[in-house]
Amino acid sequence: MAIEKFLRECGHEVHLKDTSCLARASGEQGSLGRMLPGSVRPERLALYANDVASKVLTRRWSFGRRHLSYYVLLADHHLRRRILKKELEPDRFDLVIVETPYDAGLLTTGVAAETLYDCPNPWADEVFHEGRLTRRQHRKFRRWETEFLESMDRLSFSWESYGRYAMAHYGISGQNFLQLNWGCTPSAQRACFSDPPRVAYLGSLSSRFVNLPMLARLSRQYPSIDVYGGPPPDPSLGLNYRGYATPDVLQQYQLGLITCTRDPIRQEGFSAKHLHYLAHGLPVLVPAWRRHLDLLRGSVPYTEADFGDVLGRLSQQAQWQAVSDEAYEQALRLDWNRTLEPLRTLLESPQAEARAPRGRAARIA
């Protein structure tokens, strides 16, 4: 949505397609249509059947999760590739941008338009460290993804350290990089100091990467941690779960919390919630094993052993204010209008101007 807004303000015509319920009759939350197939056409029905197979075979059955996810994921990718090629008609556009690995197959269908894959993170390694691939499947998946990433006209990652990770671990060249770091919209109203500081966790609670057991242990150490997001966590974890909330709720807090598993991709990685915290001037508590925190000023490393000591230091107003100022200054440097500037450069290049008819802004999907 930030990309759409930025490009419209640059004067381009933008078509945004939500594919999250591509196989379903409706994308409306809670509707019956969200549970039913969206079409009787073979490819749509196959995608719906693959969705069902994923839920039945890979969500709660540990053997299926480890051994069958590979087939379900690739089937989803290839079916979406064919469906989107027909329905989106990408050749009508000057630039096609894809945001998820599930849909990115569209960009390998001989699209006449310029293509940009804004990759969240290296997919094969993420899936492997979530326990959804065998080692043999992981090697095959990574080889396939390496060739796939190299085939893009332009390639970005949600955060620049993922690009360096992919070059080091996948061996991709990086020659097609057009890096668009994740950005934010700095809040006009910043958080204020309070003693004791209130801590917010805001984000997904579904991925194993979130490390809910760690979040539960920290909550037992410091009861003033409020957890927002979904789906609702297991009550046995004892989290102070407050349901879903928009980032505006962060104005009521003094600290933002990130928890994650300790594996190679998360050590080099990035959390989108980090930017939400910075945008409100919240110092961000980050596991000490996460690297590249020099790129995210306003971050405060912690371990479970020293978590209480870190909170104690940030309970002093002068200390909190200094880190809060650093966090908000970082948010200003990561404003969407700055992080997406490479898109403007791409669309104003001589090659892009040659693609679009004279006097017409680029059409972007």
Side-chain angles (χ1 to χ4, degrees), residues 122-153:
W123 194 25
D125 283 18
E126 176 172 25
V127 175
F128 175 70
H129 289 296
E130 278 211 314
R132 300 174 68 189
L133 296 174
T134 65
R135 291 191 179 278
R136 180 173 175 273
Q137 289 171 347
H138 176 230
R139 289 193 295 270
K140 291 174 60 179
F141 207 160
R142 188 191 265 190
R143 286 196 298 270
W144 170 82
E145 188 182 11
T146 299
E147 295 178 3
F148 179 76
L149 295 175
E150 289 282 21
S151 71
M152 298 296 110
D153 290 340

Side-chain angles (χ1 to χ4, degrees), residues 103-120:
D103 298 327
L106 170 67
L107 304 179
T108 62
T109 57
V111 176
E114 184 93 1
T115 60
L116 168 60
Y117 178 25
D118 189 19
C119 180

Side-chain angles (χ1 to χ4, degrees), residues 19-232:
T19 64
S20 57
C21 293
L22 190 61
R24 309 300 170 126
S26 171
E28 186 177 345
Q29 190 70 34
S31 70
L32 180 62
R34 197 178 176 95
M35 302 173 62
L36 300 175
S39 171
V40 295
R41 287 187 294 178
E43 289 167 345
R44 286 274 194 157
L45 283 176
L47 183 61
Y48 177 82
N50 193 66
D51 285 354
V52 173
S54 176
K55 288 186 176 181
V56 172
L57 299 176
T58 71
R59 299 291 174 88
R60 296 183 180 180
W61 184 27
S62 58
F63 178 88
R65 180 180 178 86
R66 172 71 71 179
H67 294 269
L68 302 180
S69 294
Y70 173 82
Y71 305 101
V72 170
L73 290 169
L74 285 182
D76 182 84
H77 176 91
H78 291 301
L79 286 167
R80 286 170 173 268
R81 179 180 186 269
R82 293 201 291 269
I83 293 169
L84 291 172
K85 172 67 173 177
K86 293 178 181 178
E87 296 189 0
L88 190 59
E89 298 180 65
D91 291 342
R92 297 183 295 124
F93 300 95
D94 302 293
L95 173 64
V96 179
I97 305 172
V98 174
E99 295 291 326
T100 75
Y102 308 102
D103 298 327
L106 170 67
L107 304 179
T108 62
T109 57
V111 176
E114 184 93 1
T115 60
L116 168 60
Y117 178 25
D118 189 19
C119 180
N121 49 55
W123 194 25
D125 283 18
E126 176 172 25
V127 175
F128 175 70
H129 289 296
E130 278 211 314
R132 300 174 68 189
L133 296 174
T134 65
R135 291 191 179 278
R136 180 173 175 273
Q137 289 171 347
H138 176 230
R139 289 193 295 270
K140 291 174 60 179
F141 207 160
R142 188 191 265 190
R143 286 196 298 270
W144 170 82
E145 188 182 11
T146 299
E147 295 178 3
F148 179 76
L149 295 175
E150 289 282 21
S151 71
M152 298 296 110
D153 290 340
R154 296 289 186 272
L155 172 66
S156 180
F157 288 89
S158 62
W159 194 247
E160 59 191 271
S161 61
Y162 281 134
R164 293 197 290 270
Y165 177 95
M167 293 176 70
H169 293 266
Y170 281 56
I172 65 172
S173 66
Q175 293 179 355
N176 56 353
F177 275 10
L178 181 77
Q179 182 57 44
L180 306 174
N181 274 342
W182 198 272
C184 66
T185 302
S187 174
Q189 184 177 347
R190 287 178 52 180
C192 298
F193 177 75
S194 179
D195 185 19
R198 298 180 65 199
V199 182
Y201 174 94
L202 177 72
S204 170
L205 298 171
S206 62
S207 170
R208 292 190 180 186
F209 282 129
V210 170
N211 200 343
L212 287 180
M214 180 181 183
L215 181 56
R217 293 192 297 271
L218 295 177
S219 296
R220 288 194 288 272
Q221 284 192 50
Y222 193 76
S224 296
I225 299 176
D226 290 341
V227 177
Y228 297 91

